[in-house]
């Protein structure tokens, strides 16, 4: 008879996870025991390797098919497998005299707070009272504070919160219950790093805020408002859950090691893909590297967007109507859609299958470096079609920004210099509110700006009575 491994309950205490051991039982099971080493035979008869879910429990196996126990590193996260091989979740673990907390996803918590403890960058628990970190739960603004350690913002209770003029020398960590929708606005603040560790939350960067690093550990959004002029040095996408992560903040470097898909909507200097990922490119990206561990990645470049150089070190797919200046195929199996414009292709020695050069039928250049018979660098230009405007109070006018050439990314942001005179929405609709003048500015993704002047100097008859009531001064009145 074959041995069968069955599961029993896990006993938890406040300080220790008690792991259960495999039990020998009936035959006809996927589990086999070879001299004390457990393996799992899949339905096709092969030995399981990597991660396997059996019932409600996850197990991990090495390259030889042996079940693993203890700590496991996977996709830049740590997991703890009990003596029975079961991945621990939502539990405290003691190991070598230190305490660790394992989240519900199975990931070891770090830069996190739980039950009065702070989980440090290496995951070890220390009493929160002994650290320099601060936990913020009250739904109000925090202004002018300097936090020496980490600042933890719990959006479960503080669903709408603003940080203004705050300096965080550690990390700003957004935590919650993965269900509550929260919003955190950061204005004119200095943040070393932002870590999002809960879902359904929006972090808004505003004004002169400076952020070096953003780590997206969950499918939360980090977005800039119209007043934000900065650029993030590095964005790390590490989400362990499926879904879509949108990059809306300009960044020098983006790296992805995630189960989520990624939509890039702001200019990026360098993108490194470390696991197979579905990526949409809706802005210009200078360099993309698909690493050896990112086999089967698909990159879709939208019309009007340009990738400078795409280096493929693993088989992958290229899609979309956009442009890639150069594809460097280091392996076979790099496929490209016939709709994608590809200006140049280079292959490593031994590569026999690679995308073909696919230039527009009209000829010319879409980008690249000049000289030596190469392409001429493209020049982008931004203008506002309507020009200066004179309006009456309550008038509206629709503005249209034009980015040239027509193949460029047409996305722009709008801003007014005085919203008491006139406001403008994200679609370019201006509404006049009060007498005076203001400047309307359009900004494209290439760093160009265009301006027009708005003058509001008349009042519609329907608004005249209320305007007189609010603005008349009686000469000689007490």
């Amino acid at each position: 008879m074959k041995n069968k491994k069955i599961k029993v309950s896990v006993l938890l205490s406040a300080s220790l996870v008690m792991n259960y051991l495999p039990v020998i039982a009936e035959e006809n099971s996927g589990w086999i025991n070879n001299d004390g080493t457990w393996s799992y035979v899949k339905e096709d008869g092969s030995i399981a390797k990597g991660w396997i879910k059996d019932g409600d429990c996850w197990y991990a196996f090495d390259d030889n098919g042996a079940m693993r126990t203890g700590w496991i590193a996977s996709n830049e996260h740590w997991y703890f497998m009990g003596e029975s091989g079961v991945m621990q979740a939502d539990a405290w673990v003691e190991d070598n005299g230190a305490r660790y907390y394992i989240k519900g996803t199975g990931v070891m918590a770090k830069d996190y707070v739980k039950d009065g403890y702070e989980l440090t960058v290496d995951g070890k628990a220390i009493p929160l009272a002994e650290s320099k970190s601060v936990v913020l739960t009250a739904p109000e603004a925090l202004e002018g504070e300097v936090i020496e350690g980490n600042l933890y913002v719990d959006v479960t209770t503080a669903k709408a919160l603003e940080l203004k003029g705050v300096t965080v020398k550690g990390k700003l960590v957004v935590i919650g219950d993965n269900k509550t929708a929260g919003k955190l606005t950061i204005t004119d603040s200095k943040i070393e790093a932002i870590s999002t560790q809960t879902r359904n939350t929006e972090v808004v960067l505003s004004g002169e805020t400076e952020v070096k690093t953003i780590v997206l550990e969950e499918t939360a959004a980090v977005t800039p408002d119209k007043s934000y002029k900065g650029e993030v040095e590095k964005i790390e996408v590490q989400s362990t859950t499926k879904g879509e992560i949108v990059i809306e903040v300009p960044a020098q470097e983006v790296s992805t090691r995630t189960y989520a898909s990624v939509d890039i909507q702001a200019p990026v200097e360098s993108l490194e893909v470390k696991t197979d990922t579905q990526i949409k490119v809706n802005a210009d990206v200078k360099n993309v590297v698909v690493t050896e561990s990112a086999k089967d990645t698909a990159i879709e470049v939208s019309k009007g967007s340009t990738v400078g150089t795409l280096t493929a070190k693993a088989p992958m797919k290229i899609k979309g109507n956009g442009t890639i200046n150069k594809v460097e195929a280091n392996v076979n199996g790099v496929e490209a859609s016939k709709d994608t414009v590809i200006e140049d292709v280079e292959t490593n020695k031994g590569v026999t299958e690679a995308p073909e050069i696919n230039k527009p039928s009209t000829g010319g250049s879409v980008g690249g470096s000049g000289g030596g018979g190469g392409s001429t660098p493209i020049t982008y230009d931004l203008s506002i079609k309507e020009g200066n405007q004179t309006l009456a109070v309550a008038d509206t006018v629709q503005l249209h920004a034009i980015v040239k050439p027509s193949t460029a990314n047409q996305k722009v942001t709008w801003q007014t210099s005085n919203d008491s005179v006139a406001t403008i929405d994200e679609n370019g609709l201006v509404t006049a509110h009060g007498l005076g003048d203001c400047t309307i500015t359009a900004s494209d993704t290439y760093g160009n700006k265009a301006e027009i002047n708005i003058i509001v100097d008349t009042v519609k008859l329907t608004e005249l009575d209320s305007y007189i009531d609010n603005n008349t001064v009686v000469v000689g009145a007490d």
Side-chain angles (χ1 to χ4, degrees):
M1 290 177 58
K2 295 180 180 179
N3 294 329
K4 181 177 181 180
K5 184 180 181 184
I6 62 173
K7 298 178 291 295
V8 296
S9 61
V10 178
L11 303 177
L12 302 179
S13 69
S15 63
L16 180 65
V17 175
M18 301 299 293
N19 301 298
Y20 57 88
L21 298 175
V23 179
I24 307 300
E26 299 174 352
E27 59 183 357
N28 299 325
S29 168
W31 288 99
I32 59 174
N33 189 317
N34 183 17
D35 295 330
T37 299
W38 285 97
S39 298
Y40 188 87
V41 179
K42 297 191 292 186
E43 291 183 359
D44 62 3
S46 64
I47 298 294
K49 299 176 183 178
W51 291 91
I52 288 290
K53 189 175 185 181
D54 182 29
D56 294 328
C57 299
W58 282 96
Y59 300 83
F61 301 85
D62 65 19
D63 291 340
N64 295 318
M67 185 188 73
R68 302 181 64 178
T69 60
W71 292 106
I72 292 178
S74 177
N75 286 351
E76 297 186 1
H77 295 288
W78 283 98
Y79 299 82
F80 190 82
M81 321 303 287
E83 292 181 14
S84 65
V86 175
M87 182 190 78
Q88 303 300 293
D90 191 19
W92 286 96
V93 168
E94 286 191 3
D95 185 47
N96 290 328
R99 300 185 73 217
Y100 302 85
Y101 177 69
I102 311 299
K103 295 181 182 180
T105 57
V107 174
M108 181 195 76
K110 58 182 180 179
D111 292 320
Y112 197 72
V113 287
K114 179 72 174 178
D115 298 342
Y117 288 88
E118 179 178 21
L119 289 308
T120 59
V121 68
D122 60 2
K124 293 181 180 179
I126 62 172
L128 186 59
E130 298 177 7
S131 76
K132 296 180 180 180
S133 298
V134 175
V135 180
L136 194 62
T137 58
E140 59 187 22
L142 184 66
E143 186 170 355
E145 297 288 339
V146 177
I147 309 297
E148 295 294 334
N150 289 351
L151 174 62
Y152 296 94
V153 177
D154 189 345
V155 297
T156 307
T157 52
K159 297 174 184 172
L161 181 69
E162 181 179 14
L163 306 182
K164 191 171 184 179
V166 173
T167 297
V168 181
K169 295 184 179 180
K171 292 181 180 178
L172 169 62
V173 185
V174 184
I175 58 176
D177 58 6
N178 285 329
K179 298 178 181 178
T180 303
K183 183 176 182 179
L184 172 65
T185 302
I186 307 172
T187 305
D188 300 333
S189 298
K190 281 189 174 183
I191 313 292
E192 185 70 20
I194 296 175
S195 174
T196 62
Q197 298 196 30
T198 188
R199 302 165 207 163
N200 305 316
T201 296
E202 181 182 16
V203 178
V204 180
L205 305 182
S206 180
E208 300 298 324
T209 292
E210 298 177 16
V211 180
K212 287 187 177 180
T213 303
I214 297 175
V215 182
L216 301 172
E217 296 191 36
E218 291 293 351
T219 51
V222 179
T223 61
D225 69 5
K226 294 179 180 180
S227 68
Y228 179 70
K229 305 300 181 184
E231 180 184 62
V232 176
E233 289 184 13
K234 186 173 184 178
I235 298 176
E236 299 178 14
V237 183
Q238 299 180 5
S239 175
T240 59
T241 56
K242 293 184 178 180
E244 184 177 70
I245 290 180
V246 180
I247 306 294
E248 297 186 63
V249 182
Q252 295 178 24
E253 180 182 347
V254 174
S255 65
T256 69
R257 188 184 289 275
T258 179
Y259 299 104
S261 60
V262 178
D263 185 354
I264 296 178
Q265 296 187 1
V268 171
E269 286 287 314
S270 174
L271 169 64
E272 184 178 29
V273 186
K274 297 181 179 180
T275 55
D276 57 303
T277 310
Q278 305 298 305
I279 297 177
K280 297 178 182 177
V281 177
N282 289 301
D284 287 348
V285 179
K286 200 170 202 178
N287 294 295
V288 176
V289 176
V290 178
T291 63
E292 293 89 343
S293 57
K295 182 180 178 181
D296 298 328
T297 286
I299 295 182
E300 180 179 350
V301 185
S302 67
K303 186 175 182 179
S305 299
T306 300
V307 171
T309 300
L310 190 157
T311 302
K313 299 181 180 181
M316 60 162 297
K317 288 183 172 63
I318 300 170
K319 302 186 292 184
N321 299 312
T323 299
I324 300 177
N325 290 340
K326 182 167 69 173
V327 173
E328 295 180 352
N330 292 352
V331 295
N332 289 318
V334 179
E335 302 176 6
S337 164
K338 63 180 181 180
D339 297 323
T340 306
V341 175
I342 299 177
E343 291 285 322
D344 191 17
V345 176
E346 289 185 3
T347 60
N348 265 8
K349 183 178 180 181
V351 174
T352 58
E353 302 173 4
E356 296 180 354
I357 292 176
N358 181 28
K359 295 184 178 182
S361 57
T362 55
S365 168
V366 188
S369 58
S375 303
T376 303
I378 194 165
T379 300
Y380 299 97
D381 182 66
L382 173 65
S383 61
I384 299 175
K385 179 180 179 181
E386 284 71 21
N388 297 332
Q389 300 286 315
T390 299
L391 305 175
V393 171
D395 271 353
T396 61
V397 61
Q398 178 67 55
L399 302 184
H400 299 85
I402 302 173
V403 185
K404 292 183 178 180
S406 60
T407 55
N409 189 344
Q410 298 295 312
K411 182 179 180 180
V412 299
T413 56
W414 297 95
Q415 187 175 3
T416 176
S417 64
N418 190 341
D419 56 14
S420 64
V421 175
T423 57
I424 185 165
D425 68 13
E426 62 183 3
N427 298 313
L429 181 65
V430 175
T431 303
H433 296 288
L435 302 185
D437 63 85
C438 67
T439 301
I440 299 295
T441 303
S443 302
D444 65 20
T445 60
Y446 307 101
N448 299 313
K449 296 182 183 297
E451 297 179 348
I452 64 167
N453 194 43
I454 299 289
I455 299 175
V456 181
D457 67 351
T458 58
V459 183
K460 284 188 173 181
L461 291 177
T462 55
E463 302 289 331
L464 187 58
D465 290 341
S466 62
Y467 182 81
I468 292 176
D469 290 343
N470 293 328
N471 295 276
T472 300
V473 177
V474 180
V475 177
D478 293 334

